[in-house]
Structures are given as structure tokens and as C-alpha cells.
Amino acid sequence: MIKTALHRRLPLVAVGIAVLLWSTSFGISSEVLKTASPAALSVGRFAIGLIVLVPLAARRPLFARTVRDPRTILLGFLGVAIYYSLTNVGLEFTTPGTAALSNAALPALTALLGLLILKEHLAPRTIVGLVLATAGVVIVAGAGLTLDIGVMLCLIGLASYALYTVLLRKGVHAGPRQRAAVGRQMAGVVDPLVLATATAVWGTAIMLPWLVVEMAVGAASLPSGWGGLGGLLILGVVITAPTLVLFNYGAERLPAAATGVLTAAIPAFGYLFALLLGEPFDAITALGGAVALVGVAIASVTAPSTDSSPAGSGLPPHEDVAASPFERD
């Protein structure tokens, strides 16, 4: 019984860990950008992440088919290429703290798109958590957010990531007959590691022309020194690879609004990380972060337990998948 309850909380835990890792990326990316160009950072961190992910994902069923799936290409474009490219370019025009604070828009954007696209009904507890989380990030934003070109680029990237989050859920909602059909097609189901890796493959491929252009105009530069090379390695291995897998696993199983509320912790955790790096303490910012975390806690603790739906069930079923559970590609 206890194991079952814990198992049903795994999606919440997965997104929570992903958010914690995600919140550290702004400061580290800014450090890498001191010596590297935005395209080199964007492509480099995912290339390193893929070195970790591809050998693991390639051994699992349906990896090649997932890479070829048009929906995977769209997810890679929205959740990797657009979001990370615009965020890294934005960091050239604004501070890491401001970039982290711009994530204040993500919970509301995700909930709104979930309502419009998935027709999700928001539970009262989710609404309470979303209101508190939004109030907290508004306080944080009011304390330090300035509207410049860097913030505008980050906001466009966030809108793309919110759509990516919602599309991870699209197709998961199913009635009893559909769920039974999915159960019969377990051989054709794609797990989070496979989907995350395939998404990263396409996101990296889509960003490659940007790197080529940077090289052609002489704007490309590789990271150097401990801060540049070490930061890029940490981004690729410790942050990018685990975050992709954990976020995909959780976001595919949780309502979009609940996932959005959890991302409200990014500005708060990002501010805590900035304090550790020596940023001066600001009482208003700290208050906003605390309020946002209360909202996240309410959404996390009171969110309904989630059955571990088949991994990758948001992907359209492959008609040519055989019934054997051992078929690979």
C-alpha cells in the first residue's frame, strides 16, 4: 500500500527534481557565456547530454521510430530549440537573476494553454496553488524584473516551453476503451528516456544551422577555463540530461496546470542559488519566493495521486507495432 502511494507520487517528485535542477541553469549558463557564444552553449550542452542519453535510449524499444515521429520533431522544436536558444540569447542582454525571474510567466501560460488545448478542468486546490504561486512570482518580478530585449526573448521562449508541456499531455486523456486499447499496445509504448532523448536529438539538429551561421560570420566562440568548460559539462551531464527525462516523465502524467504550478518554484530556487553565488539579499524578493513555494507545496501535497500511465502514452500509437513485448524497432 505504501509503495503504491509512493509510486503514484513519482510524477510530482520527478517534476520537482527537474525544477530544482532547472533553476540552477541560469547562473551556470551565464558563467559559460562569458567565454562561449550562445549557439555554442546551446548546441554544446545538448550534444554532451546526448552523449549520456543516446547509449541508454538506443537499447530500449522504439527509439528509432520515436525519432522519426513528426510529433517528436515538434516537441524538439518547441521544448529544446526555441526555448533554450532564446533563453541563452536573452542572457546576453539581461542578468541571470532577471532571466530566472521571467519564469514567473510559465505557470500561468501552462495553465492557460492546458485549459484552451486540453480542456482541462482545474481542481480547487490547483487553483489555490496557482493563485499563490502566481502572486509569489509577481512579487518577485516586481522586486527585480525589468522589461528589456533579454526578458522579451526569455518570455517568447517560455511561451514555447509552455506549449511543449501541454503537448506532452495531449493524447494522454482517454476513456476506458482507449485506455484498454493502450494497454493492449504496451509493446508500442515509448518510455520517458526514449521520448526525451529523441526530442533532444531533434532540438539539437534544429539548432545546428544557428551554430553554422555563427561560425560563418565569425561570432562563434567555444567555452574556455574552468567556468566555461566546467559549466558546460555540468549543464550537459548534471542538468540537461536528467531534467529532460524527469520533466517528460512527470509532465506527461500530471495535469498541465499542476506541472505549471510546480515550475513556479524556479524563480524562488533560482534566487536562492543566486544568494549562494553572492547576490545581495532582498527582502521583497525573498517574500515573493516564499509565497510561490507555499503555492507549489499546496499543489504538490494536495494534488490527487496519479496512476503511472504507460510511459510515452501521449505518443500516437504505431500501427505497425507487433504484439510481442520484445519487439524493438
Side-chain angles (χ1 to χ4, degrees), residues 96 126 154 162 205 231 277 290 298 322:
T126 304
C154 288
L277 294 178
I298 290 175

Side-chain angles (χ1 to χ4, degrees), residues 45-60 63 192-201 236-237 239-246:
R45 68 179 289 182
F46 277 93
I48 293 173
L50 287 173
I51 291 174
V52 176
L53 293 175
V54 169
L56 300 174
R59 300 165 61 91
R60 302 200 175 198
F63 176 64
L193 174 60
V194 170
L195 180 57
T197 304
T199 299
V201 166
V237 177
I239 297 177
T240 301
T243 297
L244 278 172
V245 178
L246 291 170

Side-chain angles (χ1 to χ4, degrees), residues 36-320:
S37 58
L41 165 60
S42 302
V43 175
R45 68 179 289 182
F46 277 93
I48 293 173
L50 287 173
I51 291 174
V52 176
L53 293 175
V54 169
L56 300 174
R59 300 165 61 91
R60 302 200 175 198
L62 298 174
F63 176 64
R65 281 192 190 145
T66 305
V67 171
R68 295 195 299 266
D69 196 302
R71 181 172 177 271
T72 307
I73 301 174
L74 178 60
L75 291 174
F77 175 72
L78 294 171
V80 175
I82 295 297
Y83 171 71
Y84 286 96
S85 296
L86 292 182
T87 299
N88 288 333
V89 173
L91 282 169
E92 293 278 81
F93 298 97
T94 194
T95 65
T98 302
L101 294 177
S102 69
N103 278 264
L106 187 54
L109 285 172
T110 305
L112 177 62
L113 289 175
L115 183 65
L116 295 176
I117 297 175
L118 302 179
K119 310 301 181 185
E120 288 185 345
H121 297 290
L122 302 182
R125 54 181 168 265
T126 304
I127 294 175
V128 172
L130 182 61
V131 169
L132 284 175
T134 303
V137 293
V138 166
I139 293 173
V140 171
L145 187 61
T146 57
L147 192 61
D148 53 33
I149 186 172
V151 172
M152 293 299 296
L153 291 172
C154 288
L155 289 175
I156 296 172
L158 285 169
S160 177
Y161 202 87
L163 182 56
Y164 162 80
T165 301
V166 169
L167 291 181
L168 281 173
R169 284 286 295 169
K170 189 171 176 60
V172 175
H173 307 289
R177 289 185 180 180
Q178 292 171 300
R179 284 195 293 268
V182 170
R184 289 194 300 270
Q185 296 174 357
M186 283 298 289
V189 162
V190 183
D191 68 30
L193 174 60
V194 170
L195 180 57
T197 304
T199 299
V201 166
W202 276 109
T204 306
I206 293 170
M207 290 189 293
L208 278 176
W210 177 28
L211 179 60
V212 172
V213 171
E214 267 198 356
M215 295 173 64
V217 300
S221 59
L222 297 176
S224 61
W226 287 106
L229 293 174
L232 186 62
L233 187 62
I234 291 173
L235 284 172
V237 177
V238 181
I239 297 177
T240 301
T243 297
L244 278 172
V245 178
L246 291 170
F247 190 86
N248 278 20
Y249 171 82
E252 197 176 24
R253 290 160 172 79
L254 293 172
T259 303
V261 174
L262 291 173
T263 61
I266 294 174
F269 283 136
Y271 179 64
L272 290 176
F273 186 65
L275 290 179
L276 293 176
L277 294 178
E279 184 171 314
F281 176 80
D282 181 85
I284 297 179
T285 302
L287 173 62
V291 173
L293 287 177
V294 170
V296 171
I298 290 175
S300 302
V301 174
T302 63
S305 296
T306 308
D307 287 320
S308 290
S309 55
S313 57
L315 286 173
H318 299 283
E319 296 179 356
D320 55 339

